[in-house]
Amino acid sequence: MTAMAIAGTNRRERVTLGGRVHTELRELLMSGELAPGQKMSLRNVAEALGTSMTPVREAVARLVAEQSLEVLPNRAVRVPLMTRERFRELTTVRLAVEGYAVEEAARRRTEADLAAMRCFEDAFLAEARSPRPQAERAVRSNKELHFAVYRAAGLPTLVGIIEGLWLKIGPVLNLDLKVSPERLKTGGATEHHRRLVAAVEAGDGCAARSALVDDIKGAASFIESTGRLLDEAGPDLNRHPVGALAPEGETQPERDIATAHLGSR
Amino acid sequence: MTAMAIAGTNRRERVTLGGRVHTELRELLMSGELAPGQKMSLRNVAEALGTSMTPVREAVARLVAEQSLEVLPNRAVRVPLMTRERFRELTTVRLAVEGYAVEEAARRRTEADLAAMRCFEDAFLAEARSPRPQAERAVRSNKELHFAVYRAAGLPTLVGIIEGLWLKIGPVLNLDLKVSPERLKTGGATEHHRRLVAAVEAGDGCAARSALVDDIKGAASFIESTGRLLDEAGPDLNRHPVGALAPEGETQPERDIATAHLGSR
DNA sequence: TGCTGCGGTCTGTGATCACATTTAAGCTGT
DNA sequence: ACAGCTTAAATGTGATCACAGACCGCAGCA
C-alpha cells in the first residue's frame, strides 16, 4: 500500500510527496496553527499525513534549513521560540525588505496587480468589519493582500525572501491574532491597507513605504505589548513545549484543527 | 560499512551527514566549480562523497528549495541556467538588500568588525596585485570581505538572505572570474572595496551603499558583457545542459576529479 | 521519604530495498 | 544499411529496516 496510490499525485505537474508535506507544514506555520515551542515527531506527522517518514523528513529538513523549524541538541524538532531580540531583528529586516518591495510595486504595478490588491483588501475589510470576525480568514486575506503588492514589484526572488520572513514570524504574528481578534478593529490595519493600496495605485513609492511601515510597526508593537515574547531563552524552556503535534491522552481543540488539516488520507 | 565511521562526525556539535553534504555542494556552487547546466546524479554524488543516497537527497532537496539547484520535468537535477532576465533580477535584489546591509553596517559596526574587514580586504588586495592571481583565493577573499561587512549590520537574518542570493548568483559570477582573472585588476573591485571599508569605518552609510552599488554593478556589467547569459530559455536547452556556459567536447582543466565524478553518468 | 540506577520506548539519522519513469543502446525487420 | 522497436541500465522517489542516543517511568536503596 503505497501512499502514492492514496493521493492522486499522478498529475502532469511534478509534485513530489515531500513537496506536498512541505507546503502543508508551511501553511500550518504561516497561519499560526503550530504554536512556537510546539514539538513535532516525524513519525506522527507522517502518520497524520498518511505517508512514510521519508517525505516528512525531507520537508522538515527544508523547513529547518530556512529556520522555520529548529532541531534541538537533543534532536527534537519544534517550532522555534521567539525571543524579543529575534522578533525585533525580523521586524527590522521586514521593514527594509518589504518596504523596498512596496516602493518597487508602486513603480511597476500593472492594472491586473491593482485589481488583485483591491480584491484581497475588500476581503480583509469585510472580515474586519464583520460582527464575528474569523481570524483564519482575516489572516489569509491579510497575507494575500500583502503578497499581491509584493508580487507587483516584479521580483520573484524578493517575494521568495519575504515568504521566508513571514514563515519565520508567522507563528507568533498569527497566533496572537487568533487569541485576540479585536485587534482587527482597533489595530488600524484596515487604514494602513487603504493607504498602501492607494499609494501603490498612485505610484507614490514613498507613501506606500510609509503605509507599510506603519502596518508592520503597528502589528509589532502590539505583539510586544502582549508580553508573550521571551526576554531570553532560558534553558529549561526547551523542556516545556506547548504541546505535541500528536495529541496524547486528551486532545485540545486547536490541536484538533491542526491534526485535521494535516490528515489528508 | 557505515559512512558515519568514515568521517569523524562524533563532534560535540550536531552535524548531520546531510548537513555536511549540503555545505560541500554549497561551497562547490559558490566557488563556481559546478557550472550552470551541469547535471548531477544523486547516486554518483553519494558515491563520490562516500555516503548513501539519503543525505545527498536531503542536501539536494534543500538546495532545490533555495533554488540553487533545480529539478527538470524529467526528474534530472542540475545547476540552474542563468537567463539574462534572471541575472538582472538577482542583481536588482542584491543592490537593494546588500545596499541596506552596508548602510546598517556603517551605523552599527564595532572595532572587531572593522578589523575583520581590513583583514579580508588586505587578503583580496594581495591576491589582486599578485603577478599570478589565483581566482580561487580571490573569490574567497572577496566573499569573506563582503560578508564581514554584512555581518557588521548585526542582522543575522539579513546575512542568511544574502547568502541565499550569493548561492544563486555564485556559479555565474565566480565561473566567469575564473575564466578571466584579469578582471581582478581592471574591474576596479579593489577601489570599490577600499571605498566601502572606509565609508563603513567613517560611519557614512550613504557612501558605503554607493561603493557597494558600484562594486555590484561593475561585476554585473562585466558578466553581461561576456555574453554568456541566455537570452531566453529555449525548451531544447534542457537537453543540452553543459553547453550553455561551459564549452562541451573537451573537458575543462578545472573540472577536477571530484567534480567530474559528481556529474551524472 | 527522597535520590539513584536501570530498562523500555521513542526519537532522528543513515542505509537499503522497491518501483515507476526515463534514457540509451542493441537488435530485428524490411 | 537504416529506421523503428525492444530491452536493459540508470534515475529520482517513497517505504522500510537498522541503530545510536535521549527521555520517561519504575523499582530499589539509603
Side-chain angles (χ1 to χ4, degrees), chain A residues 3 16-18 43 51-55 57 74-75:
Chain A
T16 72
L17 211 39
R43 284 178 174 85
T51 74
S52 130
M53 266 182 56
T54 313
R57 183 166 27 165
N74 7 322
R75 286 180 166 148

Side-chain angles (χ1 to χ4, degrees), chain B residues 10-163:
Chain B
N10 46 355
R11 315 216 182 277
R12 188 58 56 108
E13 52 184 357
R14 175 142 316 281
V15 279
T16 72
L17 210 40
R20 242 170 44 91
V21 175
H22 175 79
T23 307
E24 204 101 28
L25 293 178
R26 192 185 173 96
E27 304 252 339
L28 286 177
L29 282 168
M30 271 216 199
S31 57
E33 300 194 42
L34 291 176
Q38 181 147 1
K39 276 202 276 189
M40 300 176 51
S41 153
L42 296 194
R43 285 177 174 85
N44 289 357
V45 174
E47 193 179 2
L49 269 61
T51 75
S52 131
M53 264 182 59
T54 312
V56 176
R57 180 166 30 163
E58 176 189 321
V60 167
R62 285 171 58 176
L63 290 165
V64 168
E66 46 197 90
Q67 299 185 50
S68 305
L69 290 178
E70 70 177 359
V71 9
L72 304 179
N74 8 323
R75 284 180 169 153
V77 171
R78 72 169 184 191
V79 179
L81 298 176
M82 183 70 70
T83 67
R84 177 162 315 171
E85 183 188 20
R86 177 163 170 75
F87 181 78
R88 284 181 178 161
E89 185 212 338
L90 280 170
T91 301
T92 302
V93 176
R94 282 189 64 201
L95 288 172
V97 175
E98 301 182 32
Y100 171 75
V102 299
E103 269 189 6
E104 277 299 302
R107 195 176 313 165
R108 299 166 62 167
R109 84 283 182 282
T110 67
E111 273 306 319
D113 294 328
L114 287 172
M117 288 160 45
R118 290 193 202 98
C119 171
F120 295 125
E121 187 197 359
D122 288 344
F124 182 85
L125 206 59
E127 202 56 42
R129 283 178 178 166
S130 159
R132 287 287 300 164
Q134 300 185 24
E136 173 99 16
R137 285 190 193 175
V139 164
R140 176 160 43 230
S141 295
N142 180 62
K143 177 192 153 198
E144 299 279 15
L145 167 58
H146 273 84
F147 278 90
V149 180
Y150 302 148
R151 271 190 297 271
L155 298 169
T157 303
L158 197 63
V159 176
I161 290 173
I162 299 175
E163 277 178 358

Side-chain angles (χ1 to χ4, degrees), chain B residues 82-92 169 172-173 176 183 216-231:
Chain B
M82 183 70 70
T83 67
R84 177 162 315 171
E85 183 188 20
R86 177 163 170 75
F87 181 78
R88 284 181 178 161
E89 185 212 338
L90 280 170
T91 301
T92 302
I169 213 168
V172 275
L173 220 54
D176 273 299
R183 181 161 75 87
I216 292 179
K217 280 193 176 174
S221 65
F222 172 80
I223 297 289
E224 291 217 29
S225 74
T226 62
R228 283 205 175 85
L229 298 175
L230 278 67
D231 276 327

Side-chain angles (χ1 to χ4, degrees), chain A:
Chain A
M1 190 228 349
T2 64
M4 197 135 81
I6 295 177
T9 53
N10 47 355
R11 315 214 182 279
R12 189 57 57 106
E13 52 183 358
R14 175 137 319 277
V15 280
T16 72
L17 211 39
R20 242 168 45 92
V21 174
H22 174 80
T23 306
E24 205 100 30
L25 292 177
R26 192 186 174 95
E27 303 250 340
L28 286 176
L29 283 169
M30 271 215 199
S31 58
E33 300 194 42
L34 292 176
Q38 184 147 1
K39 274 204 273 192
M40 302 176 49
S41 154
L42 297 193
R43 284 178 174 85
N44 289 355
V45 174
E47 192 179 3
L49 268 62
T51 74
S52 130
M53 266 182 56
T54 313
V56 176
R57 183 166 27 165
E58 176 189 320
V60 167
R62 286 171 59 175
L63 290 165
V64 168
E66 47 196 88
Q67 298 184 52
S68 305
L69 290 179
E70 71 178 356
V71 13
L72 304 179
N74 7 322
R75 286 180 166 148
V77 174
R78 72 169 184 192
V79 180
L81 297 176
M82 182 69 71
T83 66
R84 178 162 311 166
E85 184 188 19
R86 178 163 169 74
F87 181 79
R88 285 182 178 159
E89 186 213 337
L90 280 170
T91 301
T92 302
V93 175
R94 283 189 64 200
L95 287 172
V97 174
E98 302 182 32
Y100 170 76
V102 298
E103 269 189 7
E104 278 299 301
R107 194 175 316 162
R108 298 166 61 167
R109 85 284 182 282
T110 66
E111 272 307 318
D113 295 326
L114 287 173
M117 289 160 45
R118 289 193 203 100
C119 171
F120 295 125
E121 188 198 357
D122 287 344
F124 181 85
L125 206 59
E127 203 56 42
R129 284 179 178 167
S130 160
R132 287 286 301 163
Q134 299 186 26
E136 171 98 17
R137 285 192 193 173
V139 164
R140 174 159 44 231
S141 295
N142 180 63
K143 177 192 153 201
E144 300 279 15
L145 167 59
H146 273 85
F147 278 90
V149 180
Y150 302 148
R151 271 191 295 272
L155 298 169
T157 303
L158 197 63
V159 175
I161 290 173
I162 299 175
E163 277 178 357
L165 291 172
W166 279 57
L167 212 51
K168 294 184 184 65
I169 214 169
V172 276
L173 221 54
N174 296 328
L175 180 62
D176 273 299
L177 186 61
K178 272 191 170 180
V179 174
S180 44
E182 68 275 8
R183 181 162 74 88
L184 280 177
K185 300 190 190 303
T186 65
T190 61
E191 176 66 12
H192 300 146
H193 289 174
R194 195 192 55 76
R195 283 172 50 204
L196 176 61
V197 174
V200 169
E201 184 172 2
D204 187 344
C206 205
R209 180 189 279 266
S210 168
L212 184 82
V213 165
D214 288 345
D215 191 41
I216 293 180
K217 280 192 175 174
S221 65
F222 172 79
I223 297 288
E224 292 218 28
S225 73
T226 63
R228 282 207 176 84
L229 299 174
L230 279 67
D231 277 326
E232 194 148 355
D236 58 329
L237 282 167
N238 291 347
R239 307 306 184 86
H240 295 103
V242 177
L245 180 64
E248 65 265 36
E250 218 162 6
T251 63
Q252 296 180 0
E254 59 180 354
R255 255 186 243 156
D256 265 339
I257 299 173
T259 310
H261 280 71
L262 257 112
S264 66
R265 85 169 68 192

